[in-house]
Amino acid sequence: MEEDFEMDQQENEVRDQTQETDTAPQESVKTFAWRNIVAFWFLGLCNNFGYVVMLSAAHDILKQEEHQAILLADILPALIVKMTAPYFIQSIHYSIKVAGVVLFGAASFLIVAFSHTVEISVIGVACASIASGLGELTFLGLTSFYHRSSVSAWSSGTGGAGVGGALSYAGLLQIGVSARNSLLIMLVVPFTLSISFWLILEKRWAKAVISSPVADRAPLLSESDGRPPPARQSGPNLSLAQKFQLVKPLVCKYMAPLFLVYVAEYFINQGLFELIFFRNIWLSHSEQYRWFQVIYQIGVFISRSSVSIVQIHALWLLAFFQFVNVGLFLLEVLHPFLPSIWIVFAMILWEGLLGGAAYVNTFYKMSKEIAEEHREFSLGVTSQADSCGIAVAGAIAIPVHNVLCSL
């Protein structure tokens, strides 16, 4: 990541010179670079943290098996937000959008904590889903105002949420804190998101201005590998037809491979994990399943944090390998052939690495290749690919799981 920081520092040096800031310029530059990276990491962590916690918490409080309702509340609101909001949300100030993320996130914890019925708890899970979906497209768009290392930091934070969210909630329950009080403690998460955005992050987004017709006619793909200046134009004046035109070249190059990776990945997680079971070992069936989930999240976290070290340009290759995983896991379910659970652990880690790599490399690649005046919209609209993949995987996994169970 040192190369990214150096580019970030060079641009800050130019800005410091224009502002005639002569005292300790190098120290100031490092502060600016690090504060943005730290802010985006915590924004990613906090944005996905509540989403991870909500599913377990809703079941713990209700003590009922309302899996289908919870699953729909978990997926559909975020999907609807991501499929509709990018076409109008650029005209809304970032402070308002982030305030919405914070309010929906806090509401989700409060509603589920004090709910006593399935319906109320589903509303709370839906609020978490809305907060996560709105936050993802908002903060991915926000990275367009900063160096592309912000995409790496954001992605790493979201990967950390998968591991940290599950472990922190389970840890609180383990030491005797009730599910309700655990959720109330989790209110620190939207508070931390607020601190990260309004106090830590450098406010380059506040300098954006409405796009001009000249900017609207700029090409989608940029030959420049440089970073956008701190103050630049945003594009809320683009017509709906123009935005649809911008989406077309994104589909095959970025959205389709990401979508397919998530279809395969969540089909494995939702439809096959529970059916893989090794008898007569030191782990029970439920314990094996929990370890599958933990190892998967570790793989996601590692790969989402790796783009500054390893960059993958062949996004379609990631989709191919993930579907190979589908075949292997399905074969193991139908005709168990693996001699050790450690091999399954390795395969699941590989699955998580592929999924995380597809996410971070897609958006990192876009941050380099999309023209800066369209980058904010393009990053936001592409975020719907993963949610669409999760929804399709869920629709396929449930009936396939039932069929496999009946064999």
Side-chain angles (χ1 to χ4, degrees):
M1 196 177 278
E2 289 182 4
E3 182 179 325
D4 289 343
F5 292 163
E6 289 175 2
M7 296 176 66
D8 212 5
Q9 292 168 1
Q10 290 172 4
E11 200 238 348
N12 277 291
E13 286 174 356
V14 173
R15 187 186 58 186
D16 289 344
Q17 290 172 3
T18 61
Q19 293 175 342
E20 299 180 357
T21 303
D22 298 327
T23 58
Q26 187 64 28
E27 183 176 334
S28 175
V29 165
K30 289 183 179 179
T31 302
F32 274 115
W34 276 105
R35 68 184 285 184
N36 293 334
I37 291 164
V38 169
F40 272 105
W41 194 88
F42 276 102
L43 289 173
L45 178 75
C46 296
N47 187 73
N48 284 27
F49 203 93
Y51 179 81
V52 172
V53 168
M54 273 300 107
L55 291 178
S56 298
H59 289 303
D60 287 341
I61 288 179
L62 290 172
K63 303 297 183 184
Q64 296 182 35
E65 295 296 322
E66 295 291 339
H67 294 290
Q68 190 171 15
I70 296 296
L71 183 63
L72 289 174
D74 182 46
I75 295 174
L76 289 183
L79 179 61
I80 293 171
V81 168
K82 289 184 180 181
M83 293 188 71
T84 57
Y87 297 98
F88 65 85
I89 202 169
Q90 281 179 281
S91 60
I92 301 175
H93 196 275
Y94 268 100
S95 286
I96 298 175
K97 290 185 281 191
V98 175
V101 174
V102 172
L103 290 174
F104 274 108
S108 69
F109 289 119
L110 291 170
I111 291 172
V112 176
F114 292 106
S115 68
H116 297 283
T117 66
V118 174
E119 292 77 14
I120 298 300
S121 188
V122 165
I123 292 174
V125 175
C127 286
S129 180
I130 293 171
S132 176
L134 177 61
E136 184 172 20
L137 67 91
T138 296
F139 295 125
L140 277 172
L142 185 64
T143 63
S144 66
F145 293 88
Y146 301 83
H147 186 259
R148 58 181 173 271
S149 60
S150 61
V151 175
S152 175
W154 157 266
S155 300
S156 177
T158 60
V163 179
L167 290 181
S168 62
Y169 180 71
L172 287 171
L173 296 182
Q174 189 67 35
I175 63 175
V177 181
S178 68
R180 177 168 286 108
N181 288 335
S182 295
L183 286 177
L184 295 178
I185 292 172
M186 294 292 179
L187 286 171
V188 71
V189 174
F191 175 76
T192 303
L193 189 148
S194 302
I195 296 297
S196 301
F197 178 75
W198 276 292
L199 296 184
I200 301 177
L201 186 67
E202 188 182 11
K203 295 180 176 57
R204 295 179 186 175
W205 47 269
K207 303 174 184 178
V209 295
I210 295 176
S211 64
S212 64
V214 174
D216 292 348
R217 293 194 298 269
L220 175 62
L221 296 179
S222 171
E223 297 297 328
S224 173
D225 192 36
R227 160 187 176 169
R232 67 162 180 79
Q233 292 181 327
S234 188
N237 277 349
L238 289 172
S239 68
L240 190 60
Q242 288 173 315
K243 289 182 177 179
F244 280 129
Q245 287 297 318
L246 291 178
V247 171
K248 289 181 180 179
L250 300 176
V251 173
C252 288
K253 191 169 185 180
Y254 306 109
M255 298 174 73
L258 183 62
F259 166 79
L260 290 174
V261 167
Y262 269 76
V263 170
E265 186 175 340
Y266 277 80
F267 174 77
I268 294 170
N269 294 357
Q270 297 175 13
L272 303 181
F273 268 6
E274 193 177 355
L275 301 178
I276 298 175
F277 172 48
F278 286 81
R279 301 181 186 278
N280 301 320
I281 64 171
W282 72 98
L283 296 172
S284 67
H285 190 183
S286 60
E287 289 172 337
Q288 290 178 46
Y289 179 78
R290 284 197 293 270
W291 273 109
F292 290 168
Q293 296 293 343
V294 170
I295 292 170
Y296 162 77
Q297 293 291 355
I298 291 172
V300 171
F301 174 59
I302 291 172
S303 58
R304 287 196 180 194
S305 306
S306 67
V307 75
S308 297
I309 302 171
V310 179
Q311 296 172 27
I312 300 172
H313 301 287
L315 300 178
W316 282 98
L317 192 60
L318 299 174
F320 169 77
F321 282 130
Q322 200 68 294
F323 272 93
V324 171
N325 282 340
V326 171
L328 292 174
F329 280 111
L330 187 58
L331 184 61
E332 171 64 17
V333 170
L334 294 173
H335 303 286
F337 67 97
L338 296 174
S340 170
I341 194 173
W342 293 102
I343 299 176
V344 176
F345 285 165
M347 291 172 60
I348 291 172
L349 182 68
W350 170 242
E351 178 213 353
L353 289 171
L354 288 174
Y359 182 92
V360 67
N361 282 279
T362 295
F363 294 110
Y364 191 83
K365 189 176 173 68
M366 291 179 68
S367 71
K368 294 195 296 184
E369 297 178 351
I370 303 297
E372 73 177 60
E373 57 269 15
H374 298 311
R375 197 174 297 153
E376 182 183 8
F377 167 76
S378 298
L379 288 166
V381 77
T382 302
S383 70
Q384 68 182 273
D386 57 3
S387 292
C388 288
I390 294 171
V392 170
I396 299 172
I398 293 174
V400 170
H401 179 275
N402 294 337
V403 170
L404 291 174
C405 287
S406 66
L407 295 178

